[in-house]
């Protein structure tokens, strides 16, 4: 067992979580005060609307990449070289799909450029796939110890 002196104190983890919760509550209270009821409702709707589309950008590709890299670390460049362009195209399609209903639904069209601004983070989601390398090399190294190389 690791001596207590060498372990990081757990109080720092709780403090970080507490600060996160307090900041979230404070920012939400401030936004609801500044935006009023109608503005905060529009903000909440846009956030939820874009969240549904951002879920469609992964489609399990990160999990497959983590598994492939964990099985053979020499394939990092090949896997990431295939994953990043694939996710870039997927995110572009999802971005356009999030904006397309504006052409048909008048209520969405009333949001105009604000909806496009809220959808912009979808375009940078492929950059989050870089964390697959970390997860595959550090967090999964013991999980694949029993793997013998025969995947078929």
């Amino acid at each position: 067992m690791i001596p207590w002196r060498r372990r990081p104190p757990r109080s720092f983890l709780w403090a970080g979580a507490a600060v996160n919760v307090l900041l979230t509550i404070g920012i939400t209270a401030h936004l609801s005060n500044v935006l009023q009821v109608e503005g905060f409702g529009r903000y909440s709707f846009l956030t939820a609307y874009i969240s549904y589309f951002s879920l469609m950008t992964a489609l399990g590709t990160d999990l497959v990449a983590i598994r492939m890299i964990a099985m053979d670390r020499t394939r990092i460049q090949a896997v990431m070289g295939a994953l990043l362009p694939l996710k870039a195209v997927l995110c572009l399609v999802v971005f356009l799909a999030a904006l397309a209903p504006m052409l048909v639904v008048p209520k969405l069209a009333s949001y105009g450029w604000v909806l496009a601004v809220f959808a912009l983070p979808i375009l940078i989601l492929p950059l989050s796939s870089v964390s697959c390398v970390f997860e595959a090399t550090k967090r999964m190294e013991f999980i694949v110890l029993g793997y013998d190389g025969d995947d078929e």
Side-chain angles (χ1 to χ4, degrees):
M1 179 147 217
I2 299 174
W4 186 85
R5 287 181 226 140
R6 292 186 183 174
R7 286 187 290 171
R10 292 181 184 215
S11 60
F12 288 124
L13 298 175
W14 287 104
V19 168
N20 185 24
V21 168
L22 291 175
L23 279 175
T24 303
I25 291 171
I27 290 172
T28 303
H30 178 69
L31 277 176
S32 65
N33 189 25
V34 170
L35 296 176
Q36 298 299 318
V37 174
E38 184 180 338
F40 191 74
R42 292 172 65 103
Y43 168 78
S44 298
F45 169 74
L46 286 173
T47 303
Y49 179 77
I50 295 303
S51 295
Y52 288 124
F53 284 97
S54 65
L55 289 175
M56 290 186 263
T57 61
L59 297 179
T61 53
D62 289 345
L63 295 175
V64 172
I66 289 170
R67 183 172 180 254
M68 291 177 72
I69 293 171
M71 286 190 277
D72 184 10
R73 290 188 185 183
T74 61
R75 296 169 54 180
I76 291 175
Q77 284 185 329
V79 171
M80 294 308 291
L83 178 66
L84 291 177
L86 173 69
K87 288 204 59 166
V89 169
L90 186 62
C91 287
L92 182 63
V93 169
V94 169
F95 175 77
L96 294 174
L99 297 181
M102 286 177 44
L103 301 173
V104 182
V105 181
K107 185 76 171 174
L108 279 178
S110 69
Y111 287 100
W113 63 270
V114 177
L115 179 61
V117 169
F118 268 73
L120 279 177
I122 290 175
L123 294 176
I124 61 169
L125 283 176
L127 298 177
S128 67
S129 294
V130 176
S131 66
C132 293
V133 176
F134 167 75
E135 289 196 38
T137 56
K138 299 298 177 202
R139 295 183 64 197
M140 304 299 256
E141 60 190 22
F142 297 112
I143 293 175
V144 294
L145 285 178
Y147 177 72
D148 62 358
D150 294 328
D151 200 26
E152 287 88 36

